[in-house]
Amino acid sequence: MQGKEELEIFISEEGEVKMHIKGIKGPACRDVAKNLAVNIGNIREMVNTVEFYQQPETKQQIKGTGQKSR
Amino acid sequence: MNELNLQHEILKELEKDAEHLFEMETTEGTIEKVNILITDPYGLKMGFQKQKDGKYRVITSASSQSRIKQQEKIANAIKQRYAYNRVKEELKVKGYTVVEEKNIGNKTIKIVARRWR
């Protein structure tokens, strides 16, 4: 589990949809936007926020031998 | 809003059954064929004509500016309701939980949804 992803969606009086994606660092948020928009309508514009330019979090798995060093 | 919800459901039903087109007289006096024909609260006809790109062109029989504005409001309300239903459906399919939903200023609907990755 990488973390919580939050969408703030605004649907205007004319049916225009604006979406603010939070909790995803790096360009992966664009894929989330495209994936959601595919069955909603055409994407008119994408604006990158500060999170877009941040490094995505990566998990490191450290393997050890189980032996303590002396 | 209940009346507009009903209109949306009616449009969906009408669209399915619209193998033949309806005819309506426009503001200019011409006859247009439309896929969906409704009567607005003032008794005026309003038609939705499907275009090649899948979008609908709205055709009005209203002649006064105020009546045209009223029909524009109806068309907008249908567009908003359609967008709202599509968004809610997609959120559900993609595994999001809606944690907040409210009408904010300018008749805008705000939805906050979350999921854990």
Side-chain angles (χ1 to χ4, degrees):
Chain A
M1 213 185 312
Q2 294 178 17
K4 186 177 71 177
E5 191 181 300
E6 182 176 286
L7 306 179
E8 235 179 22
I9 301 168
F10 300 91
I11 306 172
S12 75
E13 191 182 357
E14 294 83 21
E16 191 178 80
V17 179
K18 279 188 189 171
M19 197 183 320
H20 184 189
I21 300 173
K22 299 178 186 175
I24 304 176
K25 292 183 172 47
C29 56
R30 286 193 158 237
D31 295 330
V32 170
K34 286 177 189 172
N35 196 22
L36 268 165
V38 70
N39 289 322
I40 295 174
N42 297 323
I43 296 178
R44 216 187 292 177
E45 190 186 6
M46 277 212 228
V47 177
N48 299 330
T49 61
V50 171
E51 272 191 298
F52 178 85
Y53 299 103
Q54 292 175 347
Q55 288 291 326
E57 286 166 4
T58 53
K59 280 188 179 169
Q60 282 189 337
Q61 194 176 32
I62 301 170
K63 289 184 181 176
T65 60
Q67 289 181 337
K68 286 184 184 177
S69 56
R70 289 187 179 180
Chain B
M1 207 56 170
N2 285 337
E3 188 183 343
L4 294 166
N5 279 337
L6 183 60
Q7 285 184 347
H8 178 254
E9 290 306 311
I10 289 172
L11 284 179
K12 276 166 64 177
E13 269 310 304
L14 289 173
E15 187 180 358
K16 282 185 205 165
D17 296 330
E19 293 296 321
H20 61 279
L21 300 175
F22 301 98
E23 283 188 354
M24 68 168 279
E25 189 175 348
T26 69
T27 311
E28 292 81 27
T30 58
I31 302 293
E32 288 274 0
K33 291 191 176 179
V34 296
N35 299 77
I36 299 168
L37 184 63
I38 64 171
T39 305
D40 76 7
Y42 300 95
L44 294 169
K45 301 285 183 207
M46 191 171 165
F48 295 81
Q49 188 187 67
K50 199 163 188 174
Q51 307 297 292
K52 285 178 185 172
D53 59 2
K55 294 181 185 172
Y56 280 92
R57 179 176 155 231
V58 180
I59 299 173
T60 179
S61 65
S63 53
S64 70
Q65 278 304 310
S66 61
R67 291 286 182 259
I68 290 172
K69 284 279 179 199
Q70 288 296 334
Q71 291 201 341
E72 274 177 11
K73 278 187 183 174
I74 292 172
N76 280 341
I78 290 169
K79 282 193 279 181
Q80 186 185 53
R81 181 51 46 174
Y82 172 80
Y84 171 83
N85 285 346
R86 292 299 314 133
V87 165
K88 289 290 290 278
E89 231 170 278
E90 277 309 293
L91 289 173
K92 189 178 169 186
V93 164
K94 299 286 186 327
Y96 289 90
T97 301
V98 174
V99 298
E100 184 187 332
E101 190 176 318
K102 60 181 178 182
N103 288 314
I104 60 177
N106 295 328
K107 296 183 184 176
T108 298
I109 301 170
K110 178 183 173 183
I111 298 172
V112 178
R114 292 184 189 138
R115 75 175 178 185
W116 287 90
R117 306 186 87 205

PDB file of all heavy atoms in Angstrom, chain B residues 42-64:
ATOM      1  N   TYR B  42     -42.560  25.585 -19.718  1.00  0.00           N
ATOM      2  CA  TYR B  42     -43.408  26.637 -20.287  1.00  0.00           C
ATOM      3  C   TYR B  42     -44.175  26.143 -21.508  1.00  0.00           C
ATOM      4  O   TYR B  42     -44.812  26.919 -22.205  1.00  0.00           O
ATOM      5  CB  TYR B  42     -42.547  27.847 -20.675  1.00  0.00           C
ATOM      6  CG  TYR B  42     -41.823  28.437 -19.476  1.00  0.00           C
ATOM      7  CD1 TYR B  42     -40.517  28.059 -19.182  1.00  0.00           C
ATOM      8  CD2 TYR B  42     -42.468  29.334 -18.629  1.00  0.00           C
ATOM      9  CE1 TYR B  42     -39.865  28.561 -18.068  1.00  0.00           C
ATOM     10  CE2 TYR B  42     -41.814  29.848 -17.515  1.00  0.00           C
ATOM     11  CZ  TYR B  42     -40.522  29.453 -17.244  1.00  0.00           C
ATOM     12  OH  TYR B  42     -39.870  29.949 -16.136  1.00  0.00           O
ATOM     13  N   GLY B  43     -44.097  24.865 -21.782  1.00  0.00           N
ATOM     14  CA  GLY B  43     -44.836  24.280 -22.909  1.00  0.00           C
ATOM     15  C   GLY B  43     -44.126  24.407 -24.242  1.00  0.00           C
ATOM     16  O   GLY B  43     -44.681  24.094 -25.289  1.00  0.00           O
ATOM     17  N   LEU B  44     -42.875  24.849 -24.227  1.00  0.00           N
ATOM     18  CA  LEU B  44     -42.116  25.003 -25.473  1.00  0.00           C
ATOM     19  C   LEU B  44     -41.290  23.762 -25.745  1.00  0.00           C
ATOM     20  O   LEU B  44     -40.809  23.107 -24.830  1.00  0.00           O
ATOM     21  CB  LEU B  44     -41.197  26.231 -25.377  1.00  0.00           C
ATOM     22  CG  LEU B  44     -41.929  27.573 -25.283  1.00  0.00           C
ATOM     23  CD1 LEU B  44     -40.948  28.669 -24.937  1.00  0.00           C
ATOM     24  CD2 LEU B  44     -42.636  27.899 -26.600  1.00  0.00           C
ATOM     25  N   LYS B  45     -41.133  23.450 -27.034  1.00  0.00           N
ATOM     26  CA  LYS B  45     -40.393  22.250 -27.407  1.00  0.00           C
ATOM     27  C   LYS B  45     -38.881  22.500 -27.355  1.00  0.00           C
ATOM     28  O   LYS B  45     -38.393  23.589 -27.671  1.00  0.00           O
ATOM     29  CB  LYS B  45     -40.742  21.811 -28.843  1.00  0.00           C
ATOM     30  CG  LYS B  45     -42.205  21.522 -29.064  1.00  0.00           C
ATOM     31  CD  LYS B  45     -42.595  20.211 -28.457  1.00  0.00           C
ATOM     32  CE  LYS B  45     -44.060  19.927 -28.771  1.00  0.00           C
ATOM     33  NZ  LYS B  45     -44.664  19.081 -27.763  1.00  0.00           N
ATOM     34  N   MET B  46     -38.168  21.447 -26.978  1.00  0.00           N
ATOM     35  CA  MET B  46     -36.711  21.503 -26.928  1.00  0.00           C
ATOM     36  C   MET B  46     -36.200  20.181 -27.473  1.00  0.00           C
ATOM     37  O   MET B  46     -36.619  19.123 -27.007  1.00  0.00           O
ATOM     38  CB  MET B  46     -36.293  21.664 -25.468  1.00  0.00           C
ATOM     39  CG  MET B  46     -34.860  22.000 -25.242  1.00  0.00           C
ATOM     40  SD  MET B  46     -34.677  22.393 -23.499  1.00  0.00           S
ATOM     41  CE  MET B  46     -32.931  22.297 -23.347  1.00  0.00           C
ATOM     42  N   GLY B  47     -35.356  20.234 -28.499  1.00  0.00           N
ATOM     43  CA  GLY B  47     -34.907  19.004 -29.132  1.00  0.00           C
ATOM     44  C   GLY B  47     -33.413  18.768 -28.985  1.00  0.00           C
ATOM     45  O   GLY B  47     -32.624  19.709 -28.908  1.00  0.00           O
ATOM     46  N   PHE B  48     -33.031  17.481 -28.943  1.00  0.00           N
ATOM     47  CA  PHE B  48     -31.622  17.098 -28.876  1.00  0.00           C
ATOM     48  C   PHE B  48     -31.316  16.283 -30.128  1.00  0.00           C
ATOM     49  O   PHE B  48     -31.890  15.210 -30.334  1.00  0.00           O
ATOM     50  CB  PHE B  48     -31.344  16.258 -27.621  1.00  0.00           C
ATOM     51  CG  PHE B  48     -31.551  17.017 -26.344  1.00  0.00           C
ATOM     52  CD1 PHE B  48     -32.826  17.178 -25.822  1.00  0.00           C
ATOM     53  CD2 PHE B  48     -30.483  17.579 -25.662  1.00  0.00           C
ATOM     54  CE1 PHE B  48     -33.030  17.883 -24.645  1.00  0.00           C
ATOM     55  CE2 PHE B  48     -30.684  18.285 -24.481  1.00  0.00           C
ATOM     56  CZ  PHE B  48     -31.961  18.432 -23.984  1.00  0.00           C
ATOM     57  N   GLN B  49     -30.424  16.825 -30.947  1.00  0.00           N
ATOM     58  CA  GLN B  49     -30.105  16.202 -32.232  1.00  0.00           C
ATOM     59  C   GLN B  49     -28.689  15.621 -32.156  1.00  0.00           C
ATOM     60  O   GLN B  49     -27.720  16.347 -31.966  1.00  0.00           O
ATOM     61  CB  GLN B  49     -30.180  17.269 -33.316  1.00  0.00           C
ATOM     62  CG  GLN B  49     -30.052  16.755 -34.736  1.00  0.00           C
ATOM     63  CD  GLN B  49     -29.978  17.918 -35.713  1.00  0.00           C
ATOM     64  OE1 GLN B  49     -29.004  18.667 -35.701  1.00  0.00           O
ATOM     65  NE2 GLN B  49     -31.004  18.078 -36.535  1.00  0.00           N
ATOM     66  N   LYS B  50     -28.591  14.307 -32.332  1.00  0.00           N
ATOM     67  CA  LYS B  50     -27.283  13.664 -32.199  1.00  0.00           C
ATOM     68  C   LYS B  50     -26.423  13.977 -33.415  1.00  0.00           C
ATOM     69  O   LYS B  50     -26.846  13.831 -34.553  1.00  0.00           O
ATOM     70  CB  LYS B  50     -27.463  12.150 -32.065  1.00  0.00           C
ATOM     71  CG  LYS B  50     -26.245  11.451 -31.474  1.00  0.00           C
ATOM     72  CD  LYS B  50     -26.615  10.059 -30.989  1.00  0.00           C
ATOM     73  CE  LYS B  50     -25.459   9.435 -30.217  1.00  0.00           C
ATOM     74  NZ  LYS B  50     -25.815   8.149 -29.621  1.00  0.00           N
ATOM     75  N   GLN B  51     -25.163  14.371 -33.148  1.00  0.00           N
ATOM     76  CA  GLN B  51     -24.233  14.706 -34.230  1.00  0.00           C
ATOM     77  C   GLN B  51     -23.333  13.503 -34.521  1.00  0.00           C
ATOM     78  O   GLN B  51     -23.307  12.526 -33.779  1.00  0.00           O
ATOM     79  CB  GLN B  51     -23.372  15.907 -33.830  1.00  0.00           C
ATOM     80  CG  GLN B  51     -24.189  17.117 -33.371  1.00  0.00           C
ATOM     81  CD  GLN B  51     -25.067  17.665 -34.464  1.00  0.00           C
ATOM     82  OE1 GLN B  51     -24.585  18.209 -35.459  1.00  0.00           O
ATOM     83  NE2 GLN B  51     -26.383  17.521 -34.312  1.00  0.00           N
ATOM     84  N   LYS B  52     -22.553  13.604 -35.579  1.00  0.00           N
ATOM     85  CA  LYS B  52     -21.684  12.487 -35.972  1.00  0.00           C
ATOM     86  C   LYS B  52     -20.631  12.181 -34.921  1.00  0.00           C
ATOM     87  O   LYS B  52     -20.198  11.040 -34.757  1.00  0.00           O
ATOM     88  CB  LYS B  52     -20.998  12.801 -37.298  1.00  0.00           C
ATOM     89  CG  LYS B  52     -21.927  12.682 -38.489  1.00  0.00           C
ATOM     90  CD  LYS B  52     -21.248  13.052 -39.786  1.00  0.00           C
ATOM     91  CE  LYS B  52     -22.277  13.037 -40.920  1.00  0.00           C
ATOM     92  NZ  LYS B  52     -21.727  13.561 -42.176  1.00  0.00           N
ATOM     93  N   ASP B  53     -20.193  13.205 -34.179  1.00  0.00           N
ATOM     94  CA  ASP B  53     -19.153  12.970 -33.173  1.00  0.00           C
ATOM     95  C   ASP B  53     -19.733  12.461 -31.845  1.00  0.00           C
ATOM     96  O   ASP B  53     -19.019  12.353 -30.853  1.00  0.00           O
ATOM     97  CB  ASP B  53     -18.326  14.253 -32.923  1.00  0.00           C
ATOM     98  CG  ASP B  53     -19.202  15.416 -32.456  1.00  0.00           C
ATOM     99  OD1 ASP B  53     -20.428  15.224 -32.285  1.00  0.00           O
ATOM    100  OD2 ASP B  53     -18.664  16.521 -32.272  1.00  0.00           O
ATOM    101  N   GLY B  54     -21.039  12.188 -31.851  1.00  0.00           N
ATOM    102  CA  GLY B  54     -21.657  11.651 -30.640  1.00  0.00           C
ATOM    103  C   GLY B  54     -22.236  12.710 -29.725  1.00  0.00           C
ATOM    104  O   GLY B  54     -22.962  12.413 -28.785  1.00  0.00           O
ATOM    105  N   LYS B  55     -21.881  13.966 -29.971  1.00  0.00           N
ATOM    106  CA  LYS B  55     -22.429  15.038 -29.140  1.00  0.00           C
ATOM    107  C   LYS B  55     -23.848  15.364 -29.595  1.00  0.00           C
ATOM    108  O   LYS B  55     -24.259  15.012 -30.688  1.00  0.00           O
ATOM    109  CB  LYS B  55     -21.556  16.291 -29.253  1.00  0.00           C
ATOM    110  CG  LYS B  55     -20.173  16.104 -28.662  1.00  0.00           C
ATOM    111  CD  LYS B  55     -19.358  17.380 -28.769  1.00  0.00           C
ATOM    112  CE  LYS B  55     -17.948  17.118 -28.278  1.00  0.00           C
ATOM    113  NZ  LYS B  55     -17.068  18.257 -28.528  1.00  0.00           N
ATOM    114  N   TYR B  56     -24.562  16.068 -28.703  1.00  0.00           N
ATOM    115  CA  TYR B  56     -25.924  16.475 -29.030  1.00  0.00           C
ATOM    116  C   TYR B  56     -25.980  17.978 -29.280  1.00  0.00           C
ATOM    117  O   TYR B  56     -25.396  18.774 -28.560  1.00  0.00           O
ATOM    118  CB  TYR B  56     -26.878  16.118 -27.884  1.00  0.00           C
ATOM    119  CG  TYR B  56     -27.291  14.668 -27.871  1.00  0.00           C
ATOM    120  CD1 TYR B  56     -26.575  13.735 -27.145  1.00  0.00           C
ATOM    121  CD2 TYR B  56     -28.390  14.232 -28.621  1.00  0.00           C
ATOM    122  CE1 TYR B  56     -26.941  12.408 -27.141  1.00  0.00           C
ATOM    123  CE2 TYR B  56     -28.753  12.899 -28.624  1.00  0.00           C
ATOM    124  CZ  TYR B  56     -28.027  11.987 -27.877  1.00  0.00           C
ATOM    125  OH  TYR B  56     -28.383  10.674 -27.875  1.00  0.00           O
ATOM    126  N   ARG B  57     -26.719  18.353 -30.321  1.00  0.00           N
ATOM    127  CA  ARG B  57     -26.981  19.770 -30.605  1.00  0.00           C
ATOM    128  C   ARG B  57     -28.364  20.060 -30.045  1.00  0.00           C
ATOM    129  O   ARG B  57     -29.317  19.315 -30.291  1.00  0.00           O
ATOM    130  CB  ARG B  57     -26.947  19.999 -32.114  1.00  0.00           C
ATOM    131  CG  ARG B  57     -27.221  21.408 -32.562  1.00  0.00           C
ATOM    132  CD  ARG B  57     -27.064  21.535 -34.070  1.00  0.00           C
ATOM    133  NE  ARG B  57     -27.848  22.645 -34.570  1.00  0.00           N
ATOM    134  CZ  ARG B  57     -28.711  22.582 -35.583  1.00  0.00           C
ATOM    135  NH1 ARG B  57     -28.897  21.452 -36.225  1.00  0.00           N
ATOM    136  NH2 ARG B  57     -29.378  23.648 -35.960  1.00  0.00           N
ATOM    137  N   VAL B  58     -28.463  21.130 -29.265  1.00  0.00           N
ATOM    138  CA  VAL B  58     -29.751  21.472 -28.664  1.00  0.00           C
ATOM    139  C   VAL B  58     -30.487  22.447 -29.574  1.00  0.00           C
ATOM    140  O   VAL B  58     -29.926  23.458 -29.997  1.00  0.00           O
ATOM    141  CB  VAL B  58     -29.555  22.115 -27.277  1.00  0.00           C
ATOM    142  CG1 VAL B  58     -30.899  22.461 -26.664  1.00  0.00           C
ATOM    143  CG2 VAL B  58     -28.800  21.165 -26.359  1.00  0.00           C
ATOM    144  N   ILE B  59     -31.738  22.104 -29.890  1.00  0.00           N
ATOM    145  CA  ILE B  59     -32.538  22.954 -30.785  1.00  0.00           C
ATOM    146  C   ILE B  59     -33.740  23.475 -30.015  1.00  0.00           C
ATOM    147  O   ILE B  59     -34.424  22.707 -29.332  1.00  0.00           O
ATOM    148  CB  ILE B  59     -33.000  22.159 -32.018  1.00  0.00           C
ATOM    149  CG1 ILE B  59     -31.759  21.687 -32.784  1.00  0.00           C
ATOM    150  CG2 ILE B  59     -33.892  22.999 -32.918  1.00  0.00           C
ATOM    151  CD1 ILE B  59     -32.054  20.749 -33.917  1.00  0.00           C
ATOM    152  N   THR B  60     -33.978  24.758 -30.121  1.00  0.00           N
ATOM    153  CA  THR B  60     -35.055  25.370 -29.352  1.00  0.00           C
ATOM    154  C   THR B  60     -36.172  25.889 -30.246  1.00  0.00           C
ATOM    155  O   THR B  60     -35.937  26.245 -31.402  1.00  0.00           O
ATOM    156  CB  THR B  60     -34.508  26.515 -28.474  1.00  0.00           C
ATOM    157  OG1 THR B  60     -35.595  27.104 -27.753  1.00  0.00           O
ATOM    158  CG2 THR B  60     -33.847  27.597 -29.306  1.00  0.00           C
ATOM    159  N   SER B  61     -37.372  25.913 -29.682  1.00  0.00           N
ATOM    160  CA  SER B  61     -38.499  26.522 -30.398  1.00  0.00           C
ATOM    161  C   SER B  61     -38.867  27.851 -29.738  1.00  0.00           C
ATOM    162  O   SER B  61     -39.808  28.517 -30.135  1.00  0.00           O
ATOM    163  CB  SER B  61     -39.704  25.581 -30.378  1.00  0.00           C
ATOM    164  OG  SER B  61     -40.157  25.423 -29.046  1.00  0.00           O
ATOM    165  N   ALA B  62     -38.099  28.219 -28.699  1.00  0.00           N
ATOM    166  CA  ALA B  62     -38.388  29.467 -27.993  1.00  0.00           C
ATOM    167  C   ALA B  62     -38.041  30.657 -28.873  1.00  0.00           C
ATOM    168  O   ALA B  62     -37.084  30.611 -29.644  1.00  0.00           O
ATOM    169  CB  ALA B  62     -37.582  29.524 -26.700  1.00  0.00           C
ATOM    170  N   SER B  63     -38.838  31.712 -28.751  1.00  0.00           N
ATOM    171  CA  SER B  63     -38.582  32.883 -29.587  1.00  0.00           C
ATOM    172  C   SER B  63     -38.065  34.065 -28.781  1.00  0.00           C
ATOM    173  O   SER B  63     -37.320  34.889 -29.286  1.00  0.00           O
ATOM    174  CB  SER B  63     -39.847  33.282 -30.345  1.00  0.00           C
ATOM    175  OG  SER B  63     -40.917  33.430 -29.425  1.00  0.00           O
ATOM    176  N   SER B  64     -38.440  34.158 -27.529  1.00  0.00           N
ATOM    177  CA  SER B  64     -37.966  35.298 -26.741  1.00  0.00           C
ATOM    178  C   SER B  64     -36.661  34.937 -26.046  1.00  0.00           C
ATOM    179  O   SER B  64     -36.401  33.768 -25.759  1.00  0.00           O
ATOM    180  CB  SER B  64     -39.020  35.696 -25.709  1.00  0.00           C
ATOM    181  OG  SER B  64     -39.106  34.703 -24.711  1.00  0.00           O
TER     182      SER B  64
END
